[in-house]
Amino acid sequence: AQTVTQSQPEMSVQEAETVTLSCTYDTSENNYYLFWYKQPPSRQMILVIRQEAYKQQNATENRFSVNFQKAAKSFSLKISDSQLGDTAMYFCALNFGNEKLTFGTGTRLTIIP
Amino acid sequence: DAGVTQSPTHLIKTRGQQVTLRCSPKSGHDTVSWYQQALGQGPQFIFQYYEEEERQRGNFPDRFSGHQFPNYSSELNVNALLLGDSALYLCASNLLGEQFFGPGTRLTVL
């Protein structure tokens, strides 16, 4: 069985600063996908970024980038130039293609004006 | 494209009752997954439907059942509701490994 661990229940950062959210996972599979989802107070779960385990290059989406360390089973999310709209719960998740997502417990991120 | 839609938005039931939640996937998506998200927790996988069959199931009792229709829309049914079933229920449709979530149904059991 796979597990996803987020060890930072809450974080806060000043607007325009950079913040890094941590995630570790455990799986015995070699081919898998990792995701970061954002859930604002509106409850809608929004995909932020996706990483295929077979790709060595770290994924990037505008201000969002990941540091994927496959050997260490670590998958952190870096948000640059943070904005007030980034305030949300952030969930790290893992799956194997079209199968179920396994989520971490989340990190509540607050961007301070 | 309307995205994933769910109904109703909110629902209040009493213990022992039965409830049905509905989900319409994104256009062209043939796989639907259901998740339960308790307050302050990450979503937990309930089950997934593909081609009108339950393809994968999480660790939930038989009180949780589902259905997928030929147009790929899906229902989640929960019988004999317990207080602990109070949660946000999320539906996700997927295509090529990427899951798109609906806004959820907030179920409160009194």
Side-chain angles (χ1 to χ4, degrees):
Chain A
Q2 60 273 13
T3 59
V4 177
T5 302
Q6 294 179 250
S7 58
Q8 304 155 311
E10 294 189 30
M11 295 187 72
S12 60
V13 66
Q14 293 289 136
E15 192 177 4
E17 291 187 346
T18 294
V19 61
T20 299
L21 309 183
S22 301
C23 172
T24 58
Y25 61 93
D26 190 26
T27 178
S28 57
E29 300 291 330
N30 196 44
N31 296 317
Y32 51 89
Y33 299 83
L34 292 160
F35 305 85
W36 278 98
Y37 280 91
K38 168 186 177 181
Q39 188 177 41
S42 65
R43 309 180 327 202
Q44 183 89 41
M45 193 76 77
I46 302 164
L47 178 66
V48 174
I49 200 164
R50 166 183 170 169
Q51 174 80 43
E52 292 88 347
Y54 63 86
K55 288 187 177 179
Q56 292 187 334
Q57 186 173 6
N58 289 324
T60 299
E61 287 288 342
N62 301 312
R63 298 182 295 108
F64 299 87
S65 61
V66 297
N67 183 4
F68 173 47
Q69 301 290 326
K70 191 172 183 179
K73 294 183 179 177
S74 169
F75 183 61
S76 61
L77 173 70
K78 185 172 82 171
I79 305 174
S80 303
D81 186 26
S82 56
Q83 301 175 358
L84 297 179
D86 296 333
T87 292
M89 283 291 291
Y90 285 81
F91 292 97
C92 179
L94 164 75
N95 82 351
F96 312 106
N98 282 332
E99 296 187 6
K100 67 174 185 178
L101 282 163
T102 298
F103 286 87
T105 51
T107 296
R108 183 177 302 279
L109 176 64
T110 301
I111 309 300
I112 303 166
Chain B
D1 185 1
V4 180
T5 61
Q6 292 186 244
S7 62
T9 304
H10 296 91
L11 204 51
I12 299 175
K13 292 286 188 178
T14 56
R15 280 178 297 175
Q17 284 189 313
Q18 179 265 342
V19 67
T20 297
L21 311 182
R22 295 177 176 83
C23 171
S24 291
K26 257 176 92 72
S27 177
H29 289 195
D30 57 5
T31 304
V32 173
S33 302
W34 286 92
Y35 295 82
Q36 179 195 66
Q37 186 179 15
L39 198 61
Q41 301 294 318
Q44 297 292 316
F45 175 75
I46 303 175
F47 43 54
Q48 183 182 84
Y49 277 83
Y50 172 69
E51 292 189 344
E52 302 180 52
E53 297 285 333
E54 184 182 289
R55 181 162 71 175
Q56 199 178 13
R57 189 178 181 92
N59 188 25
F60 278 80
D62 292 344
R63 297 187 298 108
F64 289 77
S65 63
H67 187 77
Q68 186 178 34
F69 299 93
N71 66 354
Y72 306 133
S73 67
S74 177
E75 288 182 348
L76 163 65
N77 300 292
V78 187
N79 295 322
L81 284 167
L82 304 174
L83 295 179
D85 295 332
S86 294
L88 179 67
Y89 288 85
L90 295 167
C91 167
S93 69
N94 35 315
L95 186 68
L96 301 178
E98 187 165 330
Q99 297 199 20
F100 294 83
F101 283 82
T105 294
R106 170 73 66 191
L107 173 64
T108 302
V109 182
L110 302 176

